[in-house]
Amino acid sequence: MSPYRTIIGLEVHVQLLTRTKLFCGCSTKFGLPPNSATCPVCAGLPGALPVMNRMAFELALKAAMALNCQIASLTKWDRKNYFYPDLPKNYQISQYDLPFSKAGWLQIECPGGAKKIGIIRAHLEEDAGKMLHDEQGGGRDSLVDLNRTGVPLLEIVSQPDLRAPEEAKAYLEEMRLLLREIEVSDCEMQEGSLRCDANVNIHIPISPSPVASSFSREPTASADRIQPHGTPSALAAGSRLNVESTGAEGETFAATPIVEIKNLNSFRGVERALKYEAERQFQEYQQKLGSVWNVDPRSARNFAGSTVIPVQEKRNGSLVMVAKATAGWNEKRGVTEIQRRKEEAADYRYFPEPDLVPILIDSLMLEKARAGLGELPAAQRNRLQTEYGLSPYDASVLSSQGRAVVAYFEQTAGLSGDPKETSNWISNEVLQTLNDRKQQIREFAIPPASLAGLIQEVKSSGLNKQRAREVFAEMANSDATVKAALAKLGYQVVSDESQLREIVRRAVAANPKAVADFKKGKVKAADAIKGAVMRETKGMANTELVQRLLAEELDAV
Amino acid sequence: MALPLEHVRWVAHLARLDLTPAELEAMARDLGAIIEYVNQLQALHTDGVEPLAHALDLQNVFRADELAPSLTVDAALANAPARRGDFYAVPAVLD
Amino acid sequence: MNELTAAELLAAQVQGASALEITAAFLRTIHERDGSLNAFLHVDDEFALAQARAVDAKRKHGDLLGILAGVPVAVKDILCVAGQKTTCGSKILRDFIPPYDAHVITRLKQADAILLGKTNMDEFAMGSSTENSGFTITRNPWDLERTPGGSSGGSAAAVAAGLAPLGIGTDTGGSIRQPAALCGIVGFKPTYGRVSRFGVIAFGSSLDQVGPLAHNVYDAALLLEAIAGHDARDSTSVDRPVPAYSRGLDQLVKPLTVGIPREFFSDGLDAEVENAVRVALAEYQSQGAVLKEISLPHSSFAVAVYYLVATAEASSNLARYDGVHFGHRAEKFADLLDMVARSRGEGFGAEVKRRVMLGTYALSSGYVDAYYLKALKVRRLIKDDFDTAFRQCDVIAGPTTPTAAFKLGEKTGDPLAMYLSDIYTIGANLAGLPGISVPCGFTKNGLPIGLQLMAAPFEEGKLLQVARMFERATDWHNRRPKVQAPG
């Protein structure tokens, strides 16, 4: 129950999985020696000309389709002009007014259920180089490495549909999963193949009245009568405010100026930075409202069904809009650092790139892209639930591991006949083992048939969980089948009823206190007797059988 | 009519051109004259006319995603005004 | 030797002359006479002689030789040659040495032509007199007090004065045709997309095109044949076969309708030039052609459109000259921004600054619709005019320039007057058409006059044939200026 709602839009850049750059044949490989992967084209030498990488365009098309975007029939290239030493031409080849895709969405899983996050547009552009600060030069110089220059990027801009830092993280995770699944990008944040800038501000509910009951769907009082509510301290208390993070229609909010956070280099960082920044904005709002900032109903606007009034700054007796600011995320200190207010809008002087020709996207290109998509994660999660009866949680754990793991699951479940148990084994033992061994599922020693065999063995023989894990480990270590692993470990499940009944009887006799406790109603006391039976059989007793025999013997006492 | 000096300064800033005061004055005069001349276009009715950025009617030119040799580091940096190690060196970028 | 055409030099080698002696003869002429002209910026004798020796060796071994074997070519310093200084006439690139060859250079090498040296030009091809060069002023071989035209003035002067039999120029608004007209030689601008721009330092990317300068139409056709054709490194290079232009050259175009745009014979056209052009048109009539008056109603807007479109593109193309990765860097500066602004302020000449400023202005927020976009719309109207015209005629004919060569310094103080000297040539660039200028007479002061012919896109073959029809009937192209050694 926050006293405000957080409004987040993300701008994601992903590097497309091409071998070569967007407009030349230089390598896109990460970690090459500085300035070893450049040519006249990407280094912007006089006279060099760009030629479009077909693979980059095809990958971008796939991504846009997976993001449910509308695909343009004609798209073109534009130059975005700005001077920076990591941009050797001092213009970036990008897409301005005719991006190849727009108006899509990505479905994410939130605690409250699935949610569609709007995508404003996705377009292709070239990356810039890398700047390093020169420590040796006494801090007077910066160093430029142009290896990254011209690497193909897909820029994906979301609507401001995200309402919490956790949602932003979920969006990024889903984006990464999706783009990895369709093999468009490897989305490694550490290597810069996925980068994220976040635009964030907060909406603070204001009059007609702060009490919860007034946040009804009644029409808001006419705009010119709306006054910024009360004192900052009254808002800070926020105790009576019950604001849904989604915001109800008809409410009126004050909106803080948008801050764009850059240099976010981990998903956790994104979440932390957004949390910090939202709270910082709330503090700032409380501090400045009434003194420096004002909320003027005349600048009210509609935002997703509610009325929103951006705060304005009092300057020389008049009110001016507060410009959007850029902030950096300081991971070490855990704070956002405001860098500058963009008082003057950048003038990029976009115009059509005359060195490239437009692209007509025909049905053949679309079909090819669609054919390359396969099943997307959201659809897959659905299917795992309906077809295999998995819980939403189990389905999303499997789905998040990618198609190969899901395929492994489906084969194993088919053979074992027990999807739930199969999902448990994979989510726990299999993924743990892969993680420990830094392996991919295709390198995993236990084939689906063997894992299915183990699951069936556990079911039919009543092998206990601990022993079953040991068998699993043996199988994973030696490529053994279930039978071979059992034999090697010398495990023979005792399922002989008369033999077991004898052992149970002895255990009952040897534990009179536990029996007495049990009789007094302490059901748990039976565990001690069961433990004795297991010790006696070295854990090889058929668990289900022991359970039944113990109940019978206790009854008989 | 000369372009206002403030405007000329702003354009010079966008273009990253260091102009002397005399150059600024001359630029304001020359640009003013040229702009006056090109303003004859404003008289033409062009509503509904599709802009023509390129006389060439050509689409969908692609290259295959195949590696081509890059320059050696030395060749790449041969024309650099300042080189430090295997990098281009520039005055510190302060952000 | 230096009076010979390319065709004659090829023939001479079949008769036993060596590429080495030809090259040496032209180098000698350059050293004798170029002090008066300043047509060349860089001449590397050893580099040229080594190429000549290689050609002679090939011939001796009976290897297959390229179509320009042993013929020297003067190359405008806007084309990159690997390992050779390429300045684009600008101080900002004074010491720039490209690590690669322009596609046209590769093709010339494949044709076994001899790269004689790099010729002077207006800085970044921005100018019509070669006076905007960052290094030196080139003079017209017919009158040393006059301009050879520009921006390919160095190549045009070199060919006219017999310093090279062939020249390579580039044409963004008339920069091949105008100096050809002013120097009394043939200059040809191909259809946009016919010759690769790869390695050609960009001025106005949607307008720039490389083409030949030569003594006659045959030589121009031969050189065009060598450099034209598809190049996968230039997205705007068109993938169509290149006809053997030089072979079908003497075929008469019949029937032939010559379109005469009435807008090309109005105010500002010098009477002597008009007279010479009308006589040339009569020659076509006498050969059976139909002269048809046509209209290019928007042609008076071409200069305005051109100066917005070309400068907008140039402002972006020239942004890379910032003293960061290559080119001139200022010695004194306060910080990065100052370093960039000073490097550019010091490295660029006045005209380049003017055009970068104009282009930046035309694209800037609040002005882009009224200037850049407006210009693109009018560009469409201009192209439509040509499309309409070519439904009525085979070629369009008129003067190449409004006047013959003007005096050095005459227009340097008035940028607009200079821009207007391209008034007849700009249309072909805006519409992407092929155009040629052929010598069609002289003023009473002995200055050459050019006839311009234009054709529909990719009709280079027909255009050359029509030009040849006139050339065969006249001898203007055989006249040579007398250039004295300096001093």
Side-chain angles (χ1 to χ4, degrees):
Chain A
M1 254 182 265
S2 168
Y4 55 81
R5 64 178 190 189
T6 310
I7 311 295
I8 303 164
L10 295 181
E11 214 179 282
V12 173
H13 286 90
V14 294
Q15 178 182 333
L16 300 172
L17 277 172
T18 57
R19 295 164 70 198
T20 65
K21 294 185 179 182
L22 190 50
F23 300 117
C24 66
C26 288
S27 173
T28 55
K29 207 181 270 172
F30 179 77
L32 294 173
N35 292 305
S36 66
T38 73
C39 72
V41 177
C42 59
L45 291 189
L49 296 170
V51 185
M52 176 72 199
N53 183 335
R54 181 188 294 274
M55 174 68 86
F57 192 74
E58 288 175 350
L59 291 176
L61 210 51
K62 256 170 86 171
M65 285 190 135
L67 291 168
N68 309 292
C69 287
Q70 292 171 20
I71 310 292
S73 56
L74 173 82
T75 188
K76 69 173 172 81
W77 304 96
D78 298 284
R79 290 188 185 177
K80 178 180 181 179
N81 294 285
Y82 67 95
F83 283 83
Y84 209 74
D86 65 5
L87 190 66
K89 302 186 297 296
N90 284 323
Y91 60 80
Q92 180 193 31
I93 302 178
S94 181
Q95 301 198 281
Y96 180 52
D97 55 346
L98 286 177
F100 78 94
S101 77
K102 61 177 186 181
W105 47 266
L106 175 66
Q107 182 174 317
I108 63 170
E109 304 296 327
C110 298
K115 186 174 171 182
K116 280 181 183 176
I117 305 302
I119 306 284
I120 296 175
R121 60 187 274 162
H123 73 248
L124 260 167
E125 61 184 32
E126 56 175 343
D127 203 353
K130 202 167 76 181
M131 301 285 297
L132 295 120
H133 201 64
D134 180 19
E135 304 297 344
Q136 291 177 328
R140 280 175 26 250
D141 287 349
S142 291
L143 303 179
V144 189
D145 173 8
L146 296 183
N147 282 352
R148 284 201 68 87
T149 315
V151 162
L153 297 180
L154 182 66
E155 179 179 317
I156 304 160
V157 186
S158 88
Q159 294 279 6
D161 286 349
L162 298 157
R163 289 291 174 275
E166 294 79 6
E167 286 186 12
K169 185 163 170 255
Y171 172 85
L172 290 172
E173 282 169 347
E174 184 66 17
M175 183 70 77
R176 178 173 64 184
L177 174 66
L178 178 74
L179 297 180
R180 281 179 176 173
E181 286 288 84
I182 60 175
E183 292 171 323
V184 158
S185 173
D186 58 13
C187 296
E188 294 291 351
M189 251 189 154
Q190 261 66 42
E191 297 182 359
S193 66
L194 186 153
R195 276 170 270 164
C196 173
D197 298 335
N199 284 290
V200 57
N201 72 338
I202 59 169
H203 289 177
I204 305 104
I206 52 174
S207 59
S209 159
V211 291
S213 62
S214 73
F215 287 92
S216 62
R217 280 161 199 276
E218 290 162 16
T220 319
S222 83
D224 53 9
R225 282 194 288 117
I226 300 168
Q227 293 301 316
H229 165 74
T231 62
S233 61
L235 269 174
S239 55
R240 287 172 299 165
L241 301 179
N242 183 6
V243 185
E244 292 292 323
S245 67
T246 47
E249 268 182 46
E251 289 177 37
T252 299
F253 297 86
T256 52
I258 295 172
V259 171
E260 182 181 7
I261 312 174
K262 297 199 169 271
N263 306 333
L264 295 165
N265 46 26
S266 71
F267 287 4
R268 213 175 88 80
V270 172
E271 197 180 354
R272 286 178 66 207
L274 287 168
K275 272 193 177 132
Y276 177 89
E277 177 59 23
E279 198 48 36
R280 190 201 64 73
Q281 289 187 18
F282 187 55
Q283 302 293 333
E284 186 181 19
Y285 174 79
Q286 288 175 293
Q287 224 172 61
K288 290 186 172 171
L289 187 69
S291 55
V292 190
W293 282 357
N294 206 346
V295 179
D296 184 348
R298 280 170 300 183
S299 50
R301 55 191 67 166
N302 186 354
F303 180 92
S306 48
T307 304
V308 165
I309 308 170
V311 300
Q312 288 173 295
E313 200 168 290
K314 294 177 191 165
R315 224 182 276 172
N316 307 326
S318 58
L319 288 174
V320 291
M321 291 302 243
V322 188
K324 176 176 164 177
T326 303
W329 170 240
N330 186 325
E331 182 87 42
K332 242 183 241 160
R333 294 179 47 223
V335 299
T336 52
E337 292 162 341
I338 300 290
Q339 287 162 342
R340 61 177 186 275
R341 295 266 167 206
K342 293 178 170 173
E343 293 294 349
E344 102 205 348
D347 191 344
Y348 292 124
R349 287 159 283 136
Y350 282 101
F351 75 100
E353 163 59 284
D355 290 332
L356 291 167
V357 300
I359 299 174
L360 289 173
I361 304 173
D362 57 24
S363 54
L364 222 67
M365 289 164 94
L366 292 175
E367 271 163 40
K368 191 177 172 196
R370 194 173 289 121
L373 286 183
E375 185 179 40
L376 301 180
Q380 187 181 65
R381 284 192 294 264
N382 251 330
R383 193 171 60 79
L384 289 175
Q385 292 170 49
T386 54
E387 207 169 294
Y388 293 96
L390 297 186
S391 70
Y393 177 79
D394 287 341
S396 93
V397 168
L398 287 178
S399 210
S400 71
Q401 296 301 317
R403 279 178 190 164
V405 169
V406 172
Y408 183 88
F409 161 78
E410 295 196 67
Q411 285 177 45
T412 310
L415 294 167
S416 74
D418 187 342
K420 173 68 191 160
E421 216 28 51
T422 303
S423 158
N424 287 344
W425 273 97
I426 294 174
S427 303
N428 297 305
E429 276 69 26
V430 174
L431 294 183
Q432 186 61 49
T433 309
L434 292 178
N435 193 42
D436 291 347
R437 298 181 179 185
K438 307 250 173 300
Q439 276 184 333
Q440 300 292 317
I441 190 76
R442 61 184 150 75
E443 306 164 289
F444 188 51
I446 305 177
S450 295
L451 182 60
L454 177 59
I455 292 165
Q456 281 173 331
E457 177 69 23
V458 169
K459 232 176 158 178
S460 64
S461 73
L463 184 68
N464 84 26
K465 192 77 189 178
Q466 183 51 40
R467 290 289 181 246
R469 283 198 196 102
E470 289 167 27
V471 174
F472 175 88
E474 179 58 31
M475 290 164 73
N477 285 331
S478 63
D479 297 5
T481 59
V482 187
K483 279 205 170 60
L486 285 166
K488 178 152 184 223
L489 293 170
Y491 292 165
Q492 182 79 55
V493 177
V494 181
S495 294
D496 181 300
E497 188 167 334
S498 58
Q499 189 189 345
L500 268 186
R501 190 179 291 278
E502 194 48 44
I503 296 169
V504 170
R505 276 183 186 154
R506 276 207 303 275
V508 168
N511 289 284
K513 183 166 182 324
V515 174
D517 286 349
F518 180 80
K519 288 291 180 188
K520 274 184 243 162
K522 281 193 181 171
V523 184
K524 281 242 169 214
D527 287 357
I529 308 168
K530 199 160 75 183
V533 174
M534 283 300 169
R535 271 193 301 280
E536 175 86 24
T537 58
K538 296 192 166 61
M540 295 309 297
N542 181 323
T543 335
E544 280 173 35
L545 193 51
V546 169
Q547 198 66 38
R548 176 164 64 81
L549 294 174
L550 183 58
E552 286 170 15
E553 289 306 316
L554 283 171
D555 259 4
V557 173
Chain B
M1 212 177 61
L3 217 58
L5 273 187
E6 260 327 290
H7 195 166
V8 179
R9 263 191 215 106
W10 169 242
V11 176
H13 168 71
L14 282 180
R16 296 295 185 277
L17 277 177
D18 184 53
L19 301 177
T20 64
E23 280 180 313
L24 269 175
E25 293 271 352
M27 197 64 82
R29 199 181 54 236
D30 292 348
L31 286 187
I34 297 168
I35 288 162
E36 213 168 279
Y37 174 77
V38 300
N39 273 339
Q40 64 176 293
L41 298 181
Q42 310 307 333
L44 267 178
H45 272 286
T46 52
D47 294 352
V49 178
E50 190 63 24
L52 179 72
H54 228 284
L56 196 63
D57 186 26
L58 201 60
Q59 297 91 21
N60 297 31
V61 176
F62 293 107
R63 45 171 274 272
D65 185 27
E66 284 163 10
L67 282 168
S70 294
L71 294 170
T72 62
V73 176
D74 284 338
L77 293 167
N79 285 296
R83 171 180 178 170
R84 184 149 308 144
D86 287 343
F87 296 92
Y88 300 88
V90 293
V93 174
L94 306 166
D95 245 351
Chain C
M1 188 84 84
N2 68 294
E3 297 283 314
L4 300 183
T5 65
E8 288 162 348
L9 289 166
L10 287 168
Q13 289 175 90
V14 174
Q15 303 297 316
S18 72
L20 188 64
E21 58 185 295
I22 291 170
T23 304
F26 279 98
L27 287 171
R28 204 161 46 241
T29 313
I30 291 170
H31 294 310
E32 278 168 21
R33 298 186 193 168
D34 199 36
S36 309
L37 296 172
N38 298 326
F40 283 89
L41 286 176
H42 336 282
V43 177
D44 185 339
D45 289 27
E46 271 321 301
F47 181 65
L49 294 170
Q51 294 170 74
R53 284 189 200 99
V55 171
D56 287 336
K58 266 176 127 175
R59 190 182 300 277
K60 207 167 156 194
H61 290 138
D63 295 351
L64 202 65
L65 288 164
I67 63 168
L68 292 175
V71 180
V73 181
V75 176
K76 188 178 184 178
D77 204 23
I78 197 169
L79 285 97
C80 289
V81 178
Q84 302 257 311
K85 234 182 232 187
T86 300
T87 69
C88 212
S90 181
K91 287 186 179 125
I92 213 159
L93 287 178
R94 184 193 287 276
D95 301 312
F96 179 68
I97 298 176
Y100 74 107
D101 277 336
H103 180 75
V104 166
I105 298 298
T106 304
R107 296 291 294 269
L108 288 173
K109 286 179 176 176
Q110 285 166 353
D112 290 316
I114 310 298
L115 302 175
L116 210 47
K118 305 295 281 292
T119 58
N120 196 25
M121 56 185 285
D122 286 300
E123 183 179 10
F124 287 104
M126 296 179 182
S128 312
S129 68
T130 316
E131 289 165 289
N132 295 333
S133 165
F135 303 107
T136 185
I137 290 171
T138 299
R139 291 163 187 276
N140 191 315
W142 295 93
D143 179 348
L144 296 180
E145 297 308 308
R146 292 179 185 266
T147 172
S151 64
S152 311
S155 285
V159 172
L163 308 188
L166 294 174
I168 290 286
T170 59
D171 191 319
T172 305
S175 281
I176 290 173
R177 290 160 289 159
Q178 185 255 22
L182 270 45
C183 289
I185 58 172
V186 172
F188 191 96
K189 179 202 106 67
T191 307
Y192 186 88
R194 181 74 288 188
V195 179
S196 168
R197 293 181 298 118
F198 190 81
V200 180
I201 299 180
F203 161 18
S205 311
S206 76
L207 306 159
D208 296 343
Q209 198 54 199
V210 185
L213 289 143
H215 287 298
N216 59 36
V217 175
Y218 180 87
D219 280 11
L222 200 63
L223 183 48
L224 179 63
E225 233 170 282
I227 62 172
H230 183 238
D231 173 17
R233 296 170 302 176
D234 174 1
S235 307
T236 63
S237 155
V238 173
D239 193 3
R240 320 176 150 219
V242 178
Y245 300 120
S246 60
R247 245 175 281 160
L249 209 55
D250 282 314
Q251 209 174 298
L252 302 180
V253 180
K254 264 187 181 164
L256 172 64
T257 306
V258 178
I260 320 289
R262 73 174 75 95
E263 292 82 3
F264 282 17
F265 294 87
S266 58
D267 293 351
L269 178 60
D270 177 84
E272 282 186 283
V273 173
E274 176 169 359
N275 188 47
V277 170
R278 290 209 186 273
V279 170
L281 296 175
E283 170 58 37
Y284 279 109
Q285 207 166 19
S286 75
Q287 292 190 38
V290 174
L291 302 188
K292 186 179 172 70
E293 189 182 85
I294 58 161
S295 176
L296 298 169
H298 298 95
S299 58
S300 67
F301 299 102
V303 172
V305 169
Y306 173 79
Y307 277 93
L308 290 167
V309 173
T311 59
E313 292 178 5
S315 72
S316 175
N317 285 332
L318 269 59
R320 70 190 67 196
Y321 308 104
D322 59 359
V324 172
H325 304 100
F326 50 81
H328 172 73
R329 178 184 289 192
E331 273 179 28
K332 288 184 192 151
F333 48 82
D335 54 20
L336 176 68
L337 190 142
D338 190 46
M339 185 280 276
V340 172
R342 279 181 191 239
S343 299
R344 292 164 64 76
E346 293 169 8
F348 290 147
E351 181 61 22
V352 170
K353 287 179 192 173
R354 202 148 38 220
R355 297 203 196 184
V356 166
M357 289 287 287
L358 179 60
T360 304
Y361 174 88
L363 287 174
S364 67
S365 171
Y367 298 89
V368 62
D369 289 346
Y371 293 101
Y372 177 70
L373 273 179
K374 183 79 181 184
L376 291 191
K377 289 179 177 182
V378 183
R379 183 178 183 181
R380 164 87 57 190
L381 298 177
I382 290 169
K383 182 173 186 293
D384 289 348
D385 287 351
F386 279 108
D387 289 347
T388 306
F390 284 121
R391 281 195 283 271
Q392 306 164 51
C393 61
D394 298 290
V395 296
I396 292 173
T400 307
T401 59
T403 66
F406 43 92
K407 285 231 160 89
L408 290 167
E410 187 182 323
K411 296 184 181 180
T412 45
D414 185 353
L416 262 179
M418 187 77 92
Y419 297 174
L420 288 168
S421 67
D422 295 330
I423 190 155
Y424 304 130
T425 46
I426 277 170
N429 300 85
L430 292 175
L433 311 173
I436 188 171
S437 179
V438 291
C440 71
F442 285 83
T443 64
K444 59 181 182 309
N445 290 333
L447 298 171
I449 296 168
L451 168 75
Q452 179 180 230
L453 300 161
M454 291 178 273
F458 299 102
E459 298 214 323
E460 275 84 2
K462 192 207 275 179
L463 184 58
L464 287 161
Q465 285 167 352
V466 173
R468 177 68 187 137
M469 282 168 70
F470 175 75
E471 184 182 79
R472 206 173 25 213
T474 57
D475 81 331
W476 306 115
H477 60 283
N478 289 327
R479 309 238 181 138
R480 297 284 194 274
K482 299 250 176 307
V483 181
Q484 303 300 320

